[in-house]
Amino acid sequence: MATIEECRAALGKLSDNMQGAGGEVRAAAALDRSVSCHITDLGVTFAGRLTGGRIEIDATHPGEPRERAQIRLAMAGEDLVALVGGGLNFATAWGSGRVRLEASLLDLFRLRKLL
């Protein structure tokens, strides 16, 4: 099981990767949206904003998301760490239900370039 610190570090690495990307990935990351990532096995939610090509985490709190973010992720901590580290394919994890992603249809089309 991943720790809260490992999950926060994985989100930081994802943010760094997005900011350093070019082309279509950079354009997809240029959204300005509220975001939440609920770590199901740890019972914690990271909340913040996707802006300027980065994920800025503003708060970490116990339980499920307190507010409905425009982009919502939910997964186990190990899966987050594996996704960011390249050990887990997003499409496979999403298709099997290990990762949940909720957003508007337009945002989903944009985000598919990131994921």
Side-chain angles (χ1 to χ4, degrees), residues 1 15 18 36:
M1 179 187 302
S15 181
M18 288 172 23
S36 67

Side-chain angles (χ1 to χ4, degrees), residues 50-114:
L50 171 61
T51 185
R54 293 191 57 81
I55 299 170
E56 302 291 338
I57 300 300
D58 299 328
T60 304
H61 56 82
E64 295 190 11
R66 294 179 180 168
E67 296 179 14
R68 185 177 170 93
Q70 292 166 304
I71 299 171
R72 299 167 302 280
L73 286 161
M75 68 193 80
E78 280 185 12
D79 289 339
L80 173 61
V81 171
L83 280 169
V84 174
L88 180 62
N89 177 279
F90 180 82
T92 302
W94 190 28
S96 69
R98 288 174 66 179
V99 173
R100 289 190 324 260
L101 171 64
E102 297 176 15
S104 72
L105 188 57
L106 183 57
D107 286 347
L108 287 173
F109 281 125
R110 290 179 181 157
L111 290 170
R112 69 183 164 85
K113 293 180 173 106
L114 289 174

